[in-house]
Amino acid sequence: RYVDTISTDSLYEDAIAGILKHLDPHTSYIPAREMAEVTASLDGNFKGIGIEYYIIRDTIMVTAIIKNGPAADAGVLVGDKLIRVDSTLVAGTGISGDQITRLLRGKEDSKVALTLLRPEHSQAITRYVKRSVIPLNSIDVSYMIDQKTGYIRINRFSATTYREFMKALHALKKKGMNQ
């Protein structure tokens, strides 16, 4: 019986963090509320709209669009600035990357309205994007350096990395790779 109101979940998390602090530096605790995000990157996919973005001076700028993804199908372009996600104002609000990610990701087949500002337009435009499964590829490049040397770049490790690597390796071997 403590004199103030306390969150038992917070106490448990602090206790676990304190215990793990005495283990190796690579051991960490992931609270249940963050587990879905971590699992998505390890699974090799998530449900979202298929864009990459960068926050520049408090504005979310689309920097890449996944080919044949939902955002590409809806007409979102690289260089678009995100003003609103559904009814939530995201420009000029100090929104964090985690907050914008939570707004853009969601249940598969759910729709999200994006209000965008294009460099060549003076007025905002709206695009409706249907969320779907977005693959997070581990291999972003594989090619032949010369007649016998192949190159494969792994950008992250996930459940699909081995399968992607073997596919790239076999393709390079067919092109003559032996190093």
mmCIF file of all heavy atoms in Angstrom, residues 115-151:
data_model
loop_
_atom_site.group_PDB
_atom_site.id
_atom_site.type_symbol
_atom_site.label_atom_id
_atom_site.label_comp_id
_atom_site.label_asym_id
_atom_site.label_seq_id
_atom_site.Cartn_x
_atom_site.Cartn_y
_atom_site.Cartn_z
ATOM 1 N N THR A 115 -3.110 14.438 -47.372
ATOM 2 C CA THR A 115 -3.150 15.765 -47.971
ATOM 3 C C THR A 115 -1.703 16.149 -48.244
ATOM 4 O O THR A 115 -0.869 16.172 -47.336
ATOM 5 C CB THR A 115 -3.821 16.784 -47.034
ATOM 6 O OG1 THR A 115 -5.121 16.298 -46.700
ATOM 7 C CG2 THR A 115 -3.933 18.143 -47.701
ATOM 8 N N LEU A 116 -1.416 16.414 -49.521
ATOM 9 C CA LEU A 116 -0.047 16.628 -49.983
ATOM 10 C C LEU A 116 0.109 18.001 -50.617
ATOM 11 O O LEU A 116 -0.831 18.535 -51.203
ATOM 12 C CB LEU A 116 0.320 15.572 -51.024
ATOM 13 C CG LEU A 116 0.113 14.112 -50.636
ATOM 14 C CD1 LEU A 116 0.147 13.227 -51.876
ATOM 15 C CD2 LEU A 116 1.162 13.681 -49.642
ATOM 16 N N LEU A 117 1.316 18.515 -50.539
ATOM 17 C CA LEU A 117 1.673 19.727 -51.256
ATOM 18 C C LEU A 117 2.780 19.345 -52.227
ATOM 19 O O LEU A 117 3.823 18.822 -51.823
ATOM 20 C CB LEU A 117 2.154 20.810 -50.285
ATOM 21 C CG LEU A 117 2.349 22.198 -50.867
ATOM 22 C CD1 LEU A 117 1.048 22.734 -51.472
ATOM 23 C CD2 LEU A 117 2.835 23.155 -49.792
ATOM 24 N N ARG A 118 2.513 19.575 -53.518
ATOM 25 C CA ARG A 118 3.489 19.270 -54.556
ATOM 26 C C ARG A 118 4.270 20.526 -54.886
ATOM 27 O O ARG A 118 3.706 21.625 -54.901
ATOM 28 C CB ARG A 118 2.792 18.801 -55.836
ATOM 29 C CG ARG A 118 2.170 17.464 -55.708
ATOM 30 C CD ARG A 118 2.670 16.538 -56.806
ATOM 31 N NE ARG A 118 2.422 15.176 -56.400
ATOM 32 C CZ ARG A 118 1.438 14.436 -56.862
ATOM 33 N NH1 ARG A 118 0.631 14.912 -57.786
ATOM 34 N NH2 ARG A 118 1.293 13.212 -56.420
ATOM 35 N N PRO A 119 5.562 20.376 -55.172
ATOM 36 C CA PRO A 119 6.373 21.556 -55.499
ATOM 37 C C PRO A 119 5.782 22.391 -56.640
ATOM 38 O O PRO A 119 5.829 23.607 -56.606
ATOM 39 C CB PRO A 119 7.726 20.961 -55.901
ATOM 40 C CG PRO A 119 7.778 19.645 -55.221
ATOM 41 C CD PRO A 119 6.355 19.152 -55.159
ATOM 42 N N GLU A 120 5.182 21.741 -57.647
ATOM 43 C CA GLU A 120 4.667 22.486 -58.804
ATOM 44 C C GLU A 120 3.217 22.960 -58.642
ATOM 45 O O GLU A 120 2.691 23.633 -59.511
ATOM 46 C CB GLU A 120 4.809 21.649 -60.087
ATOM 47 C CG GLU A 120 3.938 20.403 -60.132
ATOM 48 C CD GLU A 120 4.600 19.170 -59.544
ATOM 49 O OE1 GLU A 120 5.690 19.257 -58.983
ATOM 50 O OE2 GLU A 120 3.993 18.104 -59.653
ATOM 51 N N HIS A 121 2.567 22.603 -57.529
ATOM 52 C CA HIS A 121 1.188 23.035 -57.283
ATOM 53 C C HIS A 121 1.154 24.079 -56.172
ATOM 54 O O HIS A 121 1.922 24.013 -55.232
ATOM 55 C CB HIS A 121 0.307 21.849 -56.864
ATOM 56 C CG HIS A 121 0.033 20.885 -57.954
ATOM 57 N ND1 HIS A 121 0.915 19.892 -58.294
ATOM 58 C CD2 HIS A 121 -1.031 20.744 -58.780
ATOM 59 C CE1 HIS A 121 0.403 19.175 -59.286
ATOM 60 N NE2 HIS A 121 -0.775 19.671 -59.596
ATOM 61 N N SER A 122 0.230 25.001 -56.280
ATOM 62 C CA SER A 122 0.091 26.004 -55.222
ATOM 63 C C SER A 122 -0.958 25.590 -54.192
ATOM 64 O O SER A 122 -1.010 26.135 -53.111
ATOM 65 C CB SER A 122 -0.271 27.359 -55.820
ATOM 66 O OG SER A 122 -1.474 27.244 -56.559
ATOM 67 N N GLN A 123 -1.793 24.599 -54.558
ATOM 68 C CA GLN A 123 -2.825 24.124 -53.642
ATOM 69 C C GLN A 123 -2.539 22.686 -53.225
ATOM 70 O O GLN A 123 -1.923 21.916 -53.967
ATOM 71 C CB GLN A 123 -4.196 24.188 -54.301
ATOM 72 C CG GLN A 123 -4.667 25.607 -54.574
ATOM 73 C CD GLN A 123 -6.053 25.604 -55.192
ATOM 74 O OE1 GLN A 123 -6.406 24.705 -55.923
ATOM 75 N NE2 GLN A 123 -6.825 26.633 -54.880
ATOM 76 N N ALA A 124 -3.035 22.351 -52.046
ATOM 77 C CA ALA A 124 -2.873 20.988 -51.543
ATOM 78 C C ALA A 124 -3.769 20.036 -52.338
ATOM 79 O O ALA A 124 -4.839 20.427 -52.809
ATOM 80 C CB ALA A 124 -3.223 20.931 -50.062
ATOM 81 N N ILE A 125 -3.308 18.810 -52.489
ATOM 82 C CA ILE A 125 -4.095 17.768 -53.143
ATOM 83 C C ILE A 125 -4.282 16.620 -52.167
ATOM 84 O O ILE A 125 -3.493 16.456 -51.235
ATOM 85 C CB ILE A 125 -3.424 17.268 -54.443
ATOM 86 C CG1 ILE A 125 -2.011 16.731 -54.152
ATOM 87 C CG2 ILE A 125 -3.377 18.362 -55.488
ATOM 88 C CD1 ILE A 125 -1.356 16.061 -55.333
ATOM 89 N N THR A 126 -5.315 15.830 -52.370
ATOM 90 C CA THR A 126 -5.581 14.695 -51.494
ATOM 91 C C THR A 126 -5.486 13.407 -52.294
ATOM 92 O O THR A 126 -5.999 13.317 -53.409
ATOM 93 C CB THR A 126 -6.985 14.818 -50.854
ATOM 94 O OG1 THR A 126 -7.041 16.038 -50.114
ATOM 95 C CG2 THR A 126 -7.251 13.656 -49.913
ATOM 96 N N ARG A 127 -4.824 12.434 -51.728
ATOM 97 C CA ARG A 127 -4.719 11.102 -52.315
ATOM 98 C C ARG A 127 -5.191 10.105 -51.261
ATOM 99 O O ARG A 127 -4.814 10.196 -50.091
ATOM 100 C CB ARG A 127 -3.273 10.766 -52.714
ATOM 101 C CG ARG A 127 -2.728 11.624 -53.826
ATOM 102 C CD ARG A 127 -3.400 11.235 -55.154
ATOM 103 N NE ARG A 127 -2.835 11.972 -56.258
ATOM 104 C CZ ARG A 127 -3.435 12.998 -56.852
ATOM 105 N NH1 ARG A 127 -4.598 13.419 -56.434
ATOM 106 N NH2 ARG A 127 -2.869 13.596 -57.867
ATOM 107 N N TYR A 128 -6.024 9.166 -51.688
ATOM 108 C CA TYR A 128 -6.519 8.114 -50.797
ATOM 109 C C TYR A 128 -5.715 6.853 -51.068
ATOM 110 O O TYR A 128 -5.654 6.388 -52.203
ATOM 111 C CB TYR A 128 -8.014 7.875 -51.017
ATOM 112 C CG TYR A 128 -8.828 9.096 -50.656
ATOM 113 C CD1 TYR A 128 -9.135 10.051 -51.618
ATOM 114 C CD2 TYR A 128 -9.231 9.299 -49.343
ATOM 115 C CE1 TYR A 128 -9.844 11.191 -51.283
ATOM 116 C CE2 TYR A 128 -9.948 10.439 -48.996
ATOM 117 C CZ TYR A 128 -10.252 11.381 -49.977
ATOM 118 O OH TYR A 128 -10.957 12.506 -49.636
ATOM 119 N N VAL A 129 -5.078 6.340 -50.023
ATOM 120 C CA VAL A 129 -4.172 5.202 -50.168
ATOM 121 C C VAL A 129 -4.705 4.040 -49.347
ATOM 122 O O VAL A 129 -5.021 4.192 -48.168
ATOM 123 C CB VAL A 129 -2.741 5.568 -49.700
ATOM 124 C CG1 VAL A 129 -1.796 4.412 -49.935
ATOM 125 C CG2 VAL A 129 -2.246 6.827 -50.393
ATOM 126 N N LYS A 130 -4.783 2.878 -49.985
ATOM 127 C CA LYS A 130 -5.240 1.661 -49.319
ATOM 128 C C LYS A 130 -4.012 0.915 -48.795
ATOM 129 O O LYS A 130 -3.135 0.520 -49.573
ATOM 130 C CB LYS A 130 -6.008 0.788 -50.319
ATOM 131 C CG LYS A 130 -6.642 -0.426 -49.736
ATOM 132 C CD LYS A 130 -7.438 -1.136 -50.836
ATOM 133 C CE LYS A 130 -8.034 -2.415 -50.361
ATOM 134 N NZ LYS A 130 -8.774 -3.083 -51.444
ATOM 135 N N ARG A 131 -3.925 0.760 -47.487
ATOM 136 C CA ARG A 131 -2.768 0.098 -46.887
ATOM 137 C C ARG A 131 -2.718 -1.369 -47.307
ATOM 138 O O ARG A 131 -3.748 -2.014 -47.448
ATOM 139 C CB ARG A 131 -2.848 0.188 -45.367
ATOM 140 C CG ARG A 131 -2.724 1.597 -44.820
ATOM 141 C CD ARG A 131 -2.899 1.577 -43.307
ATOM 142 N NE ARG A 131 -2.781 2.885 -42.713
ATOM 143 C CZ ARG A 131 -3.815 3.589 -42.246
ATOM 144 N NH1 ARG A 131 -5.042 3.098 -42.313
ATOM 145 N NH2 ARG A 131 -3.631 4.773 -41.711
ATOM 146 N N SER A 132 -1.502 -1.858 -47.455
ATOM 147 C CA SER A 132 -1.313 -3.276 -47.764
ATOM 148 C C SER A 132 0.017 -3.737 -47.190
ATOM 149 O O SER A 132 0.742 -2.959 -46.572
ATOM 150 C CB SER A 132 -1.374 -3.517 -49.275
ATOM 151 O OG SER A 132 -0.257 -2.971 -49.922
ATOM 152 N N VAL A 133 0.333 -5.000 -47.414
ATOM 153 C CA VAL A 133 1.589 -5.569 -46.916
ATOM 154 C C VAL A 133 2.732 -4.976 -47.726
ATOM 155 O O VAL A 133 2.732 -5.030 -48.955
ATOM 156 C CB VAL A 133 1.595 -7.103 -47.019
ATOM 157 C CG1 VAL A 133 2.948 -7.670 -46.604
ATOM 158 C CG2 VAL A 133 0.482 -7.696 -46.171
ATOM 159 N N ILE A 134 3.695 -4.393 -47.030
ATOM 160 C CA ILE A 134 4.864 -3.780 -47.656
ATOM 161 C C ILE A 134 6.084 -4.633 -47.314
ATOM 162 O O ILE A 134 6.420 -4.785 -46.144
ATOM 163 C CB ILE A 134 5.087 -2.339 -47.133
ATOM 164 C CG1 ILE A 134 3.827 -1.492 -47.284
ATOM 165 C CG2 ILE A 134 6.293 -1.708 -47.803
ATOM 166 C CD1 ILE A 134 3.334 -1.311 -48.700
ATOM 167 N N PRO A 135 6.735 -5.202 -48.320
ATOM 168 C CA PRO A 135 7.918 -6.010 -48.021
ATOM 169 C C PRO A 135 9.106 -5.131 -47.620
ATOM 170 O O PRO A 135 9.279 -4.038 -48.140
ATOM 171 C CB PRO A 135 8.204 -6.728 -49.343
ATOM 172 C CG PRO A 135 7.617 -5.845 -50.387
ATOM 173 C CD PRO A 135 6.440 -5.142 -49.745
ATOM 174 N N LEU A 136 9.889 -5.622 -46.674
ATOM 175 C CA LEU A 136 11.138 -4.965 -46.297
ATOM 176 C C LEU A 136 12.261 -5.869 -46.801
ATOM 177 O O LEU A 136 12.661 -6.816 -46.131
ATOM 178 C CB LEU A 136 11.233 -4.807 -44.777
ATOM 179 C CG LEU A 136 10.280 -3.831 -44.135
ATOM 180 C CD1 LEU A 136 10.343 -3.940 -42.621
ATOM 181 C CD2 LEU A 136 10.603 -2.419 -44.566
ATOM 182 N N ASN A 137 12.726 -5.601 -47.993
ATOM 183 C CA ASN A 137 13.739 -6.454 -48.598
ATOM 184 C C ASN A 137 15.082 -6.291 -47.904
ATOM 185 O O ASN A 137 15.489 -5.185 -47.565
ATOM 186 C CB ASN A 137 13.871 -6.150 -50.088
ATOM 187 C CG ASN A 137 12.616 -6.512 -50.843
ATOM 188 O OD1 ASN A 137 11.982 -7.512 -50.550
ATOM 189 N ND2 ASN A 137 12.247 -5.693 -51.798
ATOM 190 N N SER A 138 15.756 -7.416 -47.703
ATOM 191 C CA SER A 138 17.080 -7.427 -47.088
ATOM 192 C C SER A 138 18.176 -7.139 -48.107
ATOM 193 O O SER A 138 19.191 -6.564 -47.788
ATOM 194 C CB SER A 138 17.354 -8.786 -46.447
ATOM 195 O OG SER A 138 16.440 -9.038 -45.422
ATOM 196 N N ILE A 139 17.973 -7.592 -49.328
ATOM 197 C CA ILE A 139 18.954 -7.415 -50.396
ATOM 198 C C ILE A 139 18.498 -6.240 -51.242
ATOM 199 O O ILE A 139 17.432 -6.275 -51.842
ATOM 200 C CB ILE A 139 19.047 -8.682 -51.292
ATOM 201 C CG1 ILE A 139 19.302 -9.937 -50.473
ATOM 202 C CG2 ILE A 139 20.070 -8.484 -52.400
ATOM 203 C CD1 ILE A 139 20.638 -10.020 -49.809
ATOM 204 N N ASP A 140 19.299 -5.183 -51.272
ATOM 205 C CA ASP A 140 18.889 -4.059 -52.100
ATOM 206 C C ASP A 140 19.666 -3.979 -53.405
ATOM 207 O O ASP A 140 19.267 -3.244 -54.307
ATOM 208 C CB ASP A 140 18.934 -2.729 -51.341
ATOM 209 C CG ASP A 140 20.270 -2.418 -50.722
ATOM 210 O OD1 ASP A 140 21.225 -3.182 -50.915
ATOM 211 O OD2 ASP A 140 20.355 -1.395 -50.020
ATOM 212 N N VAL A 141 20.740 -4.770 -53.523
ATOM 213 C CA VAL A 141 21.477 -4.765 -54.781
ATOM 214 C C VAL A 141 22.279 -6.057 -54.914
ATOM 215 O O VAL A 141 22.788 -6.587 -53.920
ATOM 216 C CB VAL A 141 22.390 -3.512 -54.886
ATOM 217 C CG1 VAL A 141 23.670 -3.688 -54.105
ATOM 218 C CG2 VAL A 141 22.704 -3.150 -56.296
ATOM 219 N N SER A 142 22.324 -6.572 -56.136
ATOM 220 C CA SER A 142 23.224 -7.691 -56.440
ATOM 221 C C SER A 142 23.574 -7.590 -57.925
ATOM 222 O O SER A 142 22.696 -7.395 -58.760
ATOM 223 C CB SER A 142 22.571 -9.041 -56.118
ATOM 224 O OG SER A 142 21.555 -9.358 -57.027
ATOM 225 N N TYR A 143 24.877 -7.660 -58.210
ATOM 226 C CA TYR A 143 25.324 -7.536 -59.590
ATOM 227 C C TYR A 143 26.719 -8.128 -59.740
ATOM 228 O O TYR A 143 27.402 -8.419 -58.762
ATOM 229 C CB TYR A 143 25.307 -6.077 -60.048
ATOM 230 C CG TYR A 143 26.182 -5.153 -59.228
ATOM 231 C CD1 TYR A 143 27.530 -4.971 -59.548
ATOM 232 C CD2 TYR A 143 25.659 -4.449 -58.143
ATOM 233 C CE1 TYR A 143 28.335 -4.117 -58.798
ATOM 234 C CE2 TYR A 143 26.446 -3.598 -57.396
ATOM 235 C CZ TYR A 143 27.779 -3.442 -57.723
ATOM 236 O OH TYR A 143 28.578 -2.610 -56.980
ATOM 237 N N MET A 144 27.134 -8.276 -60.981
ATOM 238 C CA MET A 144 28.467 -8.775 -61.302
ATOM 239 C C MET A 144 29.429 -7.592 -61.355
ATOM 240 O O MET A 144 29.180 -6.613 -62.050
ATOM 241 C CB MET A 144 28.462 -9.496 -62.645
ATOM 242 C CG MET A 144 27.645 -10.769 -62.660
ATOM 243 S SD MET A 144 28.271 -12.046 -61.561
ATOM 244 C CE MET A 144 29.810 -12.466 -62.369
ATOM 245 N N ILE A 145 30.536 -7.692 -60.602
ATOM 246 C CA ILE A 145 31.569 -6.650 -60.615
ATOM 247 C C ILE A 145 32.436 -6.809 -61.861
ATOM 248 O O ILE A 145 32.789 -5.834 -62.517
ATOM 249 C CB ILE A 145 32.432 -6.727 -59.337
ATOM 250 C CG1 ILE A 145 31.569 -6.370 -58.124
ATOM 251 C CG2 ILE A 145 33.637 -5.809 -59.441
ATOM 252 C CD1 ILE A 145 32.265 -6.551 -56.790
ATOM 253 N N ASP A 146 32.772 -8.049 -62.168
ATOM 254 C CA ASP A 146 33.508 -8.364 -63.383
ATOM 255 C C ASP A 146 33.005 -9.727 -63.875
ATOM 256 O O ASP A 146 31.954 -10.180 -63.440
ATOM 257 C CB ASP A 146 35.032 -8.328 -63.158
ATOM 258 C CG ASP A 146 35.511 -9.261 -62.055
ATOM 259 O OD1 ASP A 146 34.892 -10.340 -61.859
ATOM 260 O OD2 ASP A 146 36.493 -8.921 -61.363
ATOM 261 N N GLN A 147 33.765 -10.408 -64.730
ATOM 262 C CA GLN A 147 33.309 -11.659 -65.333
ATOM 263 C C GLN A 147 33.093 -12.801 -64.326
ATOM 264 O O GLN A 147 32.313 -13.704 -64.582
ATOM 265 C CB GLN A 147 34.322 -12.123 -66.403
ATOM 266 C CG GLN A 147 34.414 -11.196 -67.580
ATOM 267 C CD GLN A 147 33.120 -11.143 -68.374
ATOM 268 O OE1 GLN A 147 32.418 -12.118 -68.498
ATOM 269 N NE2 GLN A 147 32.804 -9.963 -68.902
ATOM 270 N N LYS A 148 33.776 -12.730 -63.162
ATOM 271 C CA LYS A 148 33.654 -13.847 -62.222
ATOM 272 C C LYS A 148 33.335 -13.444 -60.785
ATOM 273 O O LYS A 148 33.122 -14.294 -59.942
ATOM 274 C CB LYS A 148 34.936 -14.682 -62.249
ATOM 275 C CG LYS A 148 36.197 -13.921 -61.927
ATOM 276 C CD LYS A 148 37.407 -14.815 -62.028
ATOM 277 C CE LYS A 148 38.647 -14.040 -61.664
ATOM 278 N NZ LYS A 148 39.814 -14.879 -61.604
ATOM 279 N N THR A 149 33.268 -12.155 -60.505
ATOM 280 C CA THR A 149 33.041 -11.689 -59.139
ATOM 281 C C THR A 149 31.658 -11.061 -59.006
ATOM 282 O O THR A 149 31.329 -10.120 -59.722
ATOM 283 C CB THR A 149 34.102 -10.647 -58.728
ATOM 284 O OG1 THR A 149 35.406 -11.177 -58.999
ATOM 285 C CG2 THR A 149 33.978 -10.297 -57.257
ATOM 286 N N GLY A 150 30.885 -11.592 -58.065
ATOM 287 C CA GLY A 150 29.557 -11.053 -57.808
ATOM 288 C C GLY A 150 29.545 -10.216 -56.530
ATOM 289 O O GLY A 150 30.409 -10.354 -55.666
ATOM 290 N N TYR A 151 28.549 -9.329 -56.424
ATOM 291 C CA TYR A 151 28.404 -8.471 -55.257
ATOM 292 C C TYR A 151 26.940 -8.509 -54.819
ATOM 293 O O TYR A 151 26.038 -8.320 -55.630
ATOM 294 C CB TYR A 151 28.811 -7.035 -55.598
ATOM 295 C CG TYR A 151 28.598 -6.055 -54.471
ATOM 296 C CD1 TYR A 151 29.508 -5.946 -53.436
ATOM 297 C CD2 TYR A 151 27.469 -5.235 -54.437
ATOM 298 C CE1 TYR A 151 29.316 -5.044 -52.396
ATOM 299 C CE2 TYR A 151 27.265 -4.328 -53.402
ATOM 300 C CZ TYR A 151 28.189 -4.245 -52.382
ATOM 301 O OH TYR A 151 27.996 -3.363 -51.355
#
